[in-house]
Amino acid sequence: MGAYINIGNAGFQSARNGEYVDKSGLIAVVNGTLFTERRFGCVTRCRRFGKSMAAKMLYAYYDLSCDSRSLFADLQIAHDPSFEKHLNKYPAIYLDMTDFVSRYKDDGIVDKIDATLLADISKAYPDVPVAEGDCLMDYLLRVSEAKQQSFVFIIDEWDAICREFASGTKAMDAYVGWLRRMFKSQQAMRVFACAYMTGILPVKKYKTESALNNFVEYSMVEPVDMAHFYGFTNTEVRLLAEKHGLDYEELEKWYDGYQIGDESSIFNPNSVMMAIKSRRCRSFWASTGAYDAVARYIQMNYEGLKDDIIQMLAGGRCKVNPTKFQNDMSIIRSKDDVLTVLIHLGYLSYSWQKSECYIPNKEVAGEMVNAIEDNNWTEVVKALEASEQLLEATLRGDEEAVARGVDAAHDEHTSILSYNNENSLACVLSLAYYYARNDYIVHREFATGKGFADLVMMPRKNVSSPAIIVELKYNRDADTAISQILRKEYPAKVADYSGEMLLVGINYDKERKTHQCQILKVEK
């Protein structure tokens, strides 16, 4: 057994010894790329989304030095036609790039990687001597020709070097050159059955547009046909919740909300498993190591960035163009770049159909609030802190207190958001009711052409508070807002709800720069 070749299946065996959600269908997808033009793939996703788990699973499947049949016998892949064909049939190399980044901080890191792998792999082929001047690729080519074998090369955290060394440094230039030497030449097609890289950042635009354009990229922005394997689906989480006696709706509130490709409901897998282990839902992102980067990006004063962050904290979505990002976290040139980085880090989700990003769930929203607190966004922090009092005033029917609370939210935000229509008012009100998301599912709507926007807040399971429907008017009156709720029969939108409802009409008087509130309690 080597350190980088013939390492066996112990890594995946450990995963199977514990709670394991079957993602072995990924193997069939990779099998479909073997010995094709698509054999080089880079699958990138944010931290704690199962990158290393998938890499260990693939290695256990391909490595010819072990027998992994029993590890896969009860999994989906065992029923796939390609299962027997490729099971434990290839000499496989496994490289975790973080291992080298943690040990070497100098420009010679790439030479050390090449020499270390060469020395280790040559021990597995004592009858194929290393020639003077051989680099790793030279030696692999000689072994492949002598043994008539093709290698599988799995690189975990491929971009660890990119995050450690800035673009344009000797180390980065050497790394890009090494990757090109390994995977872009015609010799690579002879040596490798496939190469599978994981990381946070896609590779195509790193350094130059053509540096590694032979790699097929699967990312948080464009997962191609791997979206199903990026996290847990709602079906998988429902089964876990039932098995462990946990509340599915709580798991959904905290960890769901990612849209990846056409998969519209993907959960953070690590957070779900941590919640199962600890028997309660909370944020598990404090240990991801990405927080400092997020706080730094949010602090960048690109035009419109602050408005967008506020809009998303309020439950809205923002347009983003991820195509200009250079896939380099040290090269940030625009608001779109910042938002794209946050998508790759998992702090935002991305809808490709509408080119929009948004905050996916309560766990991430909490971390975003922590970031803006550290960036001294005092006006936003005050509004969030006051949101609990606003909800309490609403529930007890205190119209004056609600009007004062909305006045305060307005005063805090006039310097940030344009406040001249009902859509702007809806954004501010959504942020002002931020605390309500603990007990409510908050729906925010904009109806085009009719000049209204509303909030519908439905109590979550096991919450005894009434539903709240908020109608917002600009330069009209609170009575008009209530009348519109009744006229439009908004309560019919919540037909499955049978409890008490609060109809809340709020109007902003442009001349007086004050709000009026009317609250009507109804039984559905």
Side-chain angles (χ1 to χ4, degrees):
M1 180 177 290
Y4 302 98
I5 191 170
N6 300 335
I7 67 174
N9 57 23
F12 188 54
Q13 177 69 67
S14 296
R16 291 306 319 270
N17 289 341
E19 187 83 47
Y20 179 71
V21 174
D22 188 355
K23 293 295 181 181
S24 64
L26 172 65
I27 296 172
V29 176
V30 178
N31 281 349
T33 71
L34 297 179
F35 301 105
T36 72
E37 293 292 326
R38 302 176 72 248
R39 73 184 70 186
F40 302 113
C42 183
V43 183
T44 56
R45 37 185 152 166
C46 57
R47 287 181 174 91
R48 306 302 176 93
F49 262 65
K51 296 188 298 294
S52 296
M53 176 77 76
K56 291 173 182 177
M57 176 186 70
L58 289 168
Y59 191 91
Y61 174 77
Y62 289 118
D63 182 11
L64 57 70
S65 73
C66 58
D67 182 359
S68 300
R69 184 177 302 275
S70 62
L71 290 178
F72 295 101
D74 61 337
L75 300 182
Q76 297 170 9
I77 185 60
H79 305 288
D80 190 87
S82 68
F83 177 65
E84 293 289 345
K85 182 178 181 180
H86 300 292
L87 176 65
N88 299 131
K89 294 294 199 306
Y90 301 91
I93 305 167
Y94 188 96
L95 171 61
D96 182 351
M97 201 62 70
T98 59
D99 179 47
F100 283 89
V101 170
S102 64
R103 287 186 289 159
Y104 304 110
K105 306 294 184 182
D106 58 89
D107 290 337
I109 184 172
V110 176
D111 290 337
K112 292 181 175 67
I113 293 171
D114 194 87
T116 301
L117 267 63
L118 174 59
D120 185 69
I121 294 169
S122 65
K123 293 177 184 177
Y125 299 95
D127 56 335
V128 182
V130 177
E132 184 177 355
D134 267 355
C135 67
L136 176 61
M137 188 57 182
D138 293 332
Y139 185 70
L140 291 177
L141 181 61
R142 188 175 300 113
V143 171
S144 181
E145 291 175 343
K147 302 295 184 180
Q148 293 298 295
Q149 290 178 323
S150 295
F151 290 84
V152 169
F153 199 160
I154 297 174
I155 302 179
D156 197 8
E157 300 287 358
W158 84 272
D159 57 338
I161 287 184
C162 309
R163 301 194 300 269
E164 183 70 24
F165 296 91
S167 179
T169 62
K170 291 182 179 179
M172 269 312 312
D173 289 344
Y175 185 45
V176 172
W178 184 79
L179 290 172
R180 287 173 60 89
R181 168 71 174 133
M182 292 298 300
F183 301 120
K184 200 174 179 183
S185 67
Q186 286 298 315
Q187 295 171 336
M189 304 292 282
R190 296 157 55 188
V191 170
F192 298 112
C194 80
Y196 179 96
M197 300 199 307
T198 78
I200 295 174
L201 298 178
V203 300
K204 186 174 182 180
K205 297 181 193 173
Y206 195 86
K207 185 64 178 177
T208 67
E209 191 70 30
S210 60
L212 289 171
N213 61 1
N214 60 321
F215 270 77
V216 179
E217 296 182 45
Y218 311 83
S219 71
M220 299 292 282
V221 171
E222 182 51 78
V224 196
D225 54 351
M226 290 194 183
H228 182 79
F229 309 112
Y230 267 63
F232 290 168
T233 66
N234 51 11
T235 300
E236 291 165 344
V237 176
R238 283 187 186 277
L239 291 174
L240 287 170
E242 181 178 352
K243 177 181 178 180
H244 294 279
L246 295 179
D247 186 341
Y248 170 79
E249 289 192 2
E250 275 296 295
L251 293 169
E252 182 181 44
K253 175 177 73 174
W254 277 87
Y255 312 123
D256 189 17
Y258 289 95
Q259 177 176 339
I260 300 179
D262 291 328
E263 293 284 345
S264 60
S265 180
I266 293 292
F267 289 68
N268 180 321
N270 178 74
S271 294
V272 169
M273 299 308 292
M274 292 297 291
I276 289 172
K277 182 178 180 180
S278 63
R279 306 295 302 169
R280 70 185 182 93
C281 293
R282 61 182 179 86
S283 176
F284 298 100
W285 274 53
S287 59
T288 64
Y291 172 77
D292 289 342
V294 171
R296 183 174 71 252
Y297 294 131
I298 289 177
Q299 192 175 23
M300 293 179 176
N301 192 29
Y302 290 109
E303 184 178 358
L305 177 60
K306 201 168 189 179
D307 288 12
D308 282 358
I309 296 296
I310 293 171
Q311 176 88 353
M312 289 186 287
L313 281 173
R317 299 187 174 207
C318 298
K319 289 290 184 181
V320 59
N321 178 6
T323 63
K324 294 182 179 180
F325 179 52
Q326 296 300 302
N327 298 333
D328 185 338
M329 294 171 67
S330 66
I331 301 176
I332 305 296
R333 297 169 175 166
S334 67
K335 179 186 72 172
D336 281 331
D337 284 352
V338 173
L339 296 177
T340 305
V341 168
L342 295 180
I343 291 169
H344 286 302
L345 290 174
Y347 280 80
L348 296 176
S349 185
Y350 175 70
S351 168
W352 66 268
Q353 295 95 335
K354 296 183 178 180
S355 297
E356 292 177 339
C357 59
Y358 58 95
I359 296 174
N361 53 49
K362 179 177 174 61
E363 179 181 44
V364 176
E367 292 304 304
M368 196 70 77
V369 170
N370 290 339
I372 67 174
E373 286 179 346
D374 288 349
N375 278 287
N376 297 317
W377 290 18
T378 55
E379 67 282 351
V380 182
V381 174
K382 287 180 181 178
L384 297 177
E385 290 174 346
S387 64
E388 183 176 4
Q389 288 72 35
L390 180 62
L391 177 61
E392 291 175 352
T394 304
L395 292 174
R396 67 174 182 265
D398 191 335
E399 298 171 342
E400 292 186 2
V402 171
R404 288 196 303 270
V406 176
D407 278 339
H410 165 236
D411 291 341
E412 297 294 348
H413 290 83
T414 49
S415 62
I416 305 171
L417 298 171
S418 60
Y419 200 78
N420 55 12
N421 56 45
E422 288 159 14
N423 286 359
S424 300
L425 177 60
C427 179
V428 171
L429 261 293
S430 296
L431 193 65
Y433 277 107
Y434 177 85
Y435 183 83
R437 297 176 187 274
N438 291 316
D439 294 332
Y440 288 87
I441 298 174
V442 180
H443 303 280
R444 178 177 163 191
E445 296 183 319
F446 297 108
T448 59
K450 293 188 178 181
F452 70 83
D454 61 44
L455 303 178
V456 178
M457 295 184 275
M458 299 301 300
R460 295 183 182 274
K461 183 180 178 181
N462 300 323
V463 174
S464 59
S465 300
I468 303 172
I469 298 178
V470 184
E471 183 64 30
L472 313 169
K473 294 281 98 182
Y474 180 79
N475 235 22
R476 302 286 290 278
D477 57 63
D479 288 340
T480 300
I482 290 290
S483 298
Q484 182 160 313
I485 296 175
L486 297 173
R487 185 172 67 254
K488 296 292 184 179
E489 297 182 344
Y490 285 2
K493 293 184 179 181
V494 288
D496 294 334
Y497 179 73
S498 58
E500 186 179 69
M501 289 186 178
L502 295 180
L503 308 185
V504 182
I506 297 175
N507 176 67
Y508 175 64
D509 188 315
K510 181 180 178 181
E511 296 300 323
R512 298 180 181 179
K513 294 185 178 180
T514 59
H515 297 80
Q516 300 83 42
C517 172
Q518 183 176 338
I519 300 175
L520 178 64
K521 183 182 296 186
V522 298
E523 293 291 340
K524 186 170 178 292

